[in-house]
Amino acid sequence: EIVLTQSPATLSLSPGERATLSCRASQSVSSSLGWYQQKPGQAPRLLIYDASNRATGIPARFSGSGSGTDFTLTISSLETEDFAVYYCQQRNNWPRTFGQGTKVEIK
Amino acid sequence: EVQLLESGGGLIQPGGSLRLSCAASGFTFSDYAMSWVRQAPGKGLEWVSSIPAGGRATYYADSVKGRFAVSRDNSRNTLFLQMSSLRAEDTAVYHCVGGAAVTNYFFEYWGQGTLVAVSS
């Protein structure tokens, strides 16, 4: 099973700041990595697929990069609606696995 | 508008069985691989099971293999999860999830979920 490790666990930032979230895989997942955003009481939402492709309707301030074992989700300038929990997920191997999540909170 | 509406959750005793259903609308269900993803209270996301668009293969997390069975009825746009030998650690909100080739089968569409609580 591929283990995805996200860091940091919590990121405390102010609106307008840049957020950089990391996801590291225990073995290569090529570019088969996605990012999801989850707000309290809501279902997750797909942000990024195949490491760097924005899903439909996702603002350009969200970007993804990386391949192999190291991936990054960047939010260029945080809006108030971006404070949430973010998960990475790989679909290169079965079983599909998620990271444990990074909470982006208001400082 | 895309909708995934789960039903069938509830309180069940350990060792019991439940069947979850997910009614899909607003997209071509038969083009989408479908999955179940669960989230225990206050915890992260855990993939449970997947079934491709054609339904000829099924995939399971080790934690549910042999106890859960996923199926789909493309004529009724419905996904199912038959759960048996339920354990306390199966307690979670179960989300029905869909993905297609356009997003390389990542989890594009999510239902709000149905809560399964396993307790005596």
Side-chain angles (χ1 to χ4, degrees), chain B residues 24-39:
Chain B
S25 61
F27 64 101
T28 306
F29 182 75
S30 58
D31 285 345
Y32 278 68
M34 298 300 295
S35 301
W36 292 95
V37 173
R38 68 185 181 184
Q39 188 166 31

Side-chain angles (χ1 to χ4, degrees), chain A residues 66-90:
Chain A
S67 66
T69 60
D70 289 301
F71 299 86
T72 300
L73 174 70
T74 301
I75 310 171
S76 60
S77 179
L78 282 164
E79 303 279 345
T80 53
E81 62 264 31
D82 300 336
F83 291 93
V85 179
Y86 293 83
Y87 296 94
C88 59
Q89 178 244 328
Q90 66 82 23

Side-chain angles (χ1 to χ4, degrees), chain B residues 103-117:
Chain B
T103 52
N104 203 14
Y105 300 99
F106 280 88
F107 302 141
E108 180 180 7
Y109 298 147
W110 292 72
Q112 285 301 311
T114 186
L115 176 63
V116 173

Side-chain angles (χ1 to χ4, degrees), chain A residues 32-34 36 38 41-44 46 49-50 56 87 89 91 94-96 98, chain B residues 37 39 43-47 50 59 95 102-108 110-112:
Chain A
S32 296
L33 188 109
Y36 300 83
Q38 188 177 31
Q42 296 186 17
L46 176 66
Y49 65 95
D50 287 347
T56 302
Y87 296 94
Q89 178 244 328
R91 66 167 305 280
W94 299 101
R96 305 312 195 210
F98 288 90
Chain B
V37 173
Q39 188 166 31
K43 302 297 184 182
L45 302 172
E46 180 187 15
W47 171 78
S50 292
Y59 304 88
H95 294 277
V102 66
T103 52
N104 203 14
Y105 300 99
F106 280 88
F107 302 141
E108 180 180 7
W110 292 72
Q112 285 301 311

Side-chain angles (χ1 to χ4, degrees), chain B residues 10-114:
Chain B
L11 178 62
I12 186 76
Q13 290 191 337
S17 298
L18 276 178
R19 190 193 198 203
L20 305 184
S21 299
C22 171
S25 61
F27 64 101
T28 306
F29 182 75
S30 58
D31 285 345
Y32 278 68
M34 298 300 295
S35 301
W36 292 95
V37 173
R38 68 185 181 184
Q39 188 166 31
K43 302 297 184 182
L45 302 172
E46 180 187 15
W47 171 78
V48 173
S49 180
S50 292
I51 184 167
R56 293 196 173 194
T58 54
Y59 304 88
Y60 300 96
D62 285 347
S63 58
V64 307
K65 198 173 294 183
R67 300 187 299 122
F68 289 12
V70 64
S71 61
R72 64 190 295 161
D73 184 341
N74 286 348
S75 68
R76 294 166 53 196
N77 291 348
T78 304
L79 176 72
F80 303 99
L81 185 67
Q82 179 68 48
M83 305 186 296
S84 60
S85 302
L86 283 162
R87 306 166 180 167
E89 54 265 35
D90 296 318
T91 294
V93 172
Y94 285 72
H95 294 277
C96 169
V97 183
V102 66
T103 52
N104 203 14
Y105 300 99
F106 280 88
F107 302 141
E108 180 180 7
Y109 298 147
W110 292 72
Q112 285 301 311
T114 186

Side-chain angles (χ1 to χ4, degrees), chain A residues 44-65:
Chain A
R45 175 174 70 148
L46 176 66
L47 299 175
I48 301 288
Y49 65 95
D50 287 347
S52 61
N53 296 300
R54 275 189 301 276
T56 302
I58 302 304
R61 63 181 182 274
F62 291 92
S63 63
S65 63

